[in-house]
Amino acid sequence: MTENLLAELAQLTARTRQLQSLVPQVQGDGPFSGSDPDGAVSAEVDRDGTLTKVEVDTDWKSLISPDALGAAVRGAVVAAGAARMGFEAPTREDLAKDWSQVELTGELPEATPTPEDEEAVAEQVKAQRQVLDDAASRMTMAEAEESFLTQLDRLREVTSVLAEPGADTELVSENRMIRLTLNPFGQVTDCHVESRWADRQSGRALSMAFAELLDQRP
């Protein structure tokens, strides 16, 4: 076991801990609800932050204009997500920001291994050495080394997935009047509703349309 490999293991342990610390803690089991600032739309998300319900008020057109419906849905979803994390509901100013233009993927500061990280690595190495000793009669040293390096590659993959989770996807209604954008974790980040179509719909009809759309998810 080289010092470089031990140092890399400690660095990976520190980076994994750093990434995990960025994830807020969920407040309870849910469901969690929220509404847009005008009260035209309410939404519910589950413990994982997945949208489970959208309800449009029966008198929604007296509260917002049809072309504001998509933004109201997004606002309700954001408010429900905030409740899930124990945060206050977002303000109009928060919802007005174009978050797609805000850089959220900047470089994280270098993760410096702590004594606890190094101790954890030492314990892992000790356990791995025991595995190697136990396996000595069943595999060559080259095979044992390959097994250990495979485990190290898996740890690298975990940190990579946390840092770069993947691409957004879209849900589109059958009549193509509603479009929801989902992040890689299945959480809604945007909503578009065709305003001329929405203007002819009741709150109940819109709520049913969203329910049918959400049922399309795998």
Side-chain angles (χ1 to χ4, degrees):
M1 184 68 63
T2 67
E3 290 186 3
N4 286 341
L5 187 53
L6 285 171
E8 183 178 1
L9 279 170
Q11 183 69 33
L12 285 170
T13 300
R15 177 50 65 105
T16 300
R17 173 175 49 75
Q18 179 190 54
L19 290 170
Q20 289 173 338
S21 72
L22 298 176
V23 180
Q25 298 301 307
V26 177
Q27 306 296 306
D29 295 328
F32 306 93
S33 61
S35 61
D36 71 291
D38 294 296
V41 179
S42 61
E44 285 187 0
V45 299
D46 63 15
R47 193 177 191 283
D48 296 325
T50 300
L51 179 63
T52 57
K53 188 176 184 180
V54 172
E55 285 196 358
V56 182
D57 190 87
T58 55
D59 197 29
W60 71 274
K61 281 185 277 189
S62 71
L63 300 171
I64 59 173
S65 61
D67 60 1
L69 182 57
V73 172
R74 183 174 69 88
V77 173
V78 171
R84 170 176 171 260
M85 294 303 175
F87 300 151
E88 293 184 1
T91 65
R92 292 182 187 279
E93 291 73 21
D94 293 332
L95 295 173
K97 292 179 181 177
D98 183 357
W99 292 101
S100 68
Q101 301 302 314
V102 178
E103 180 57 56
L104 299 176
T105 58
E107 289 282 334
L108 289 172
E110 182 176 356
T112 303
T114 64
E116 290 77 13
D117 294 327
E118 294 171 352
E119 289 176 8
V121 167
E123 288 298 322
Q124 293 170 13
V125 170
K126 181 179 178 181
Q128 186 63 28
R129 282 177 175 165
Q130 183 62 50
V131 171
L132 292 177
D133 290 342
D134 293 343
S137 61
R138 301 191 301 275
M139 65 177 68
T140 66
M141 183 57 67
E143 291 172 335
E145 181 179 0
E146 181 179 355
S147 174
F148 177 76
L149 292 177
T150 297
Q151 294 183 42
L152 179 59
D153 287 339
R154 288 174 181 168
L155 180 57
R156 291 193 183 102
E157 289 173 3
V158 168
T159 59
S160 175
V161 168
L162 285 170
E164 300 177 9
D168 290 347
T169 58
E170 283 192 343
L171 288 178
V172 182
S173 62
E174 290 186 5
N175 63 4
R176 307 191 70 80
M177 296 294 105
I178 304 174
R179 184 173 69 249
L180 291 176
T181 302
L182 310 179
N183 69 17
F185 304 104
Q187 299 162 351
V188 174
T189 58
D190 198 10
C191 175
H192 173 77
V193 182
E194 207 287 318
S195 60
R196 288 179 294 179
W197 170 80
D199 192 30
R200 300 192 299 270
Q201 310 302 314
S202 67
R204 178 177 174 78
L206 288 167
S207 299
M208 292 178 62
F210 275 102
E212 292 172 0
L213 179 60
L214 294 176
D215 284 343
Q216 292 181 19
R217 288 178 300 193

